[in-house]
Amino acid sequence: MVGGVDQVDGSLSSPGMNGDVTSSASELLKHGAACSVVYLNNVDTESLTGPQAVSKAVQQTFTKGLLDTTVATFKVSNDGITVTDTNHRLFFRQHFPRDSVSFCGIDPADRRFTQTLDNGMNIKEARLFGFVAKKKKGGNHCLLFAEMDPEQPATAVVNFVTKVMMNK
């Protein structure tokens, strides 16, 4: 994540600051922290949340066959999570308010994603992660992503969302 998430363990750091993780995270959230990811799918999980919802989303996504993916910007801020399709291929921007997000996690079965993107970039053995949000008309849905850059790993994204957004 841009703005100070350690790539090794996802812990938060701010150069030159000796504050604790919470204050560093608060500073990052004021402006938002963002990274590039591969958007895979948005799956209705009904009442499921937690790792079961991510697992269901992965299962349903990969039974579809060829995926229509897009590169997206994944931004976390005090307001919630905003996903922006950088090429506006599948959608423009989707925002999920902080209080609607109930879970963020790595695929429990540790399945991986490999594909050549439209821009020619090869994604190989990328970790999958997703977050679960409440739908406006009831129920939940899980947005599913693959990490795109080794310097912005799925574990760092998940750790940041979990430590900062889920600790209300």
Side-chain angles (χ1 to χ4, degrees):
M1 306 269 301
V2 175
V5 175
D6 185 273
Q7 289 83 16
V8 176
D9 66 4
S11 62
L12 298 170
S13 62
S14 287
M17 293 184 83
N18 294 326
D20 65 299
V21 168
T22 307
S23 65
S24 297
S26 297
E27 289 299 313
L28 281 174
L29 280 178
K30 284 181 185 176
H31 303 288
C35 67
S36 295
V37 296
V38 180
Y39 170 87
L40 300 176
N41 204 4
N42 183 341
V43 176
D44 182 356
T45 60
E46 299 166 359
S47 63
L48 276 180
T49 190
Q52 298 85 359
V54 174
S55 187
K56 177 181 179 173
V58 172
Q59 183 69 31
Q60 284 190 5
T61 298
F62 287 102
T63 58
K64 286 175 59 171
L66 188 61
L67 296 176
D68 192 12
T69 62
T70 191
V71 175
T73 300
F74 188 99
K75 182 177 180 182
V76 181
S77 71
N78 275 325
D79 296 330
I81 297 174
T82 303
V83 181
T84 306
D85 181 339
T86 56
N87 297 312
H88 304 193
R89 284 188 55 243
L90 302 177
F91 56 90
F92 176 66
R93 182 177 294 130
Q94 299 177 11
H95 178 73
F96 303 87
R98 185 178 183 152
D99 62 353
S100 74
V101 178
S102 61
F103 179 80
C104 185
I106 302 284
D107 173 29
D110 199 29
R111 291 167 279 202
R112 304 294 175 113
F113 175 74
T114 299
Q115 183 172 317
T116 300
L117 303 178
D118 288 343
N119 64 6
M121 178 182 249
N122 287 319
I123 305 293
K124 293 186 179 182
E125 296 295 312
R127 258 204 161 128
L128 304 173
F129 72 98
F131 71 88
V132 181
K134 296 175 195 147
K135 293 165 66 176
K136 291 179 182 174
K137 295 184 180 181
N140 296 318
H141 54 148
C142 179
L143 278 81
L144 192 62
F145 305 91
E147 61 192 7
M148 195 171 133
D149 182 347
E151 293 190 21
Q152 300 172 335
T155 52
V157 176
V158 168
N159 286 341
F160 185 75
V161 172
T162 301
K163 287 178 182 177
V164 178
M165 286 190 61
M166 303 300 164
N167 294 333
K168 300 174 184 175

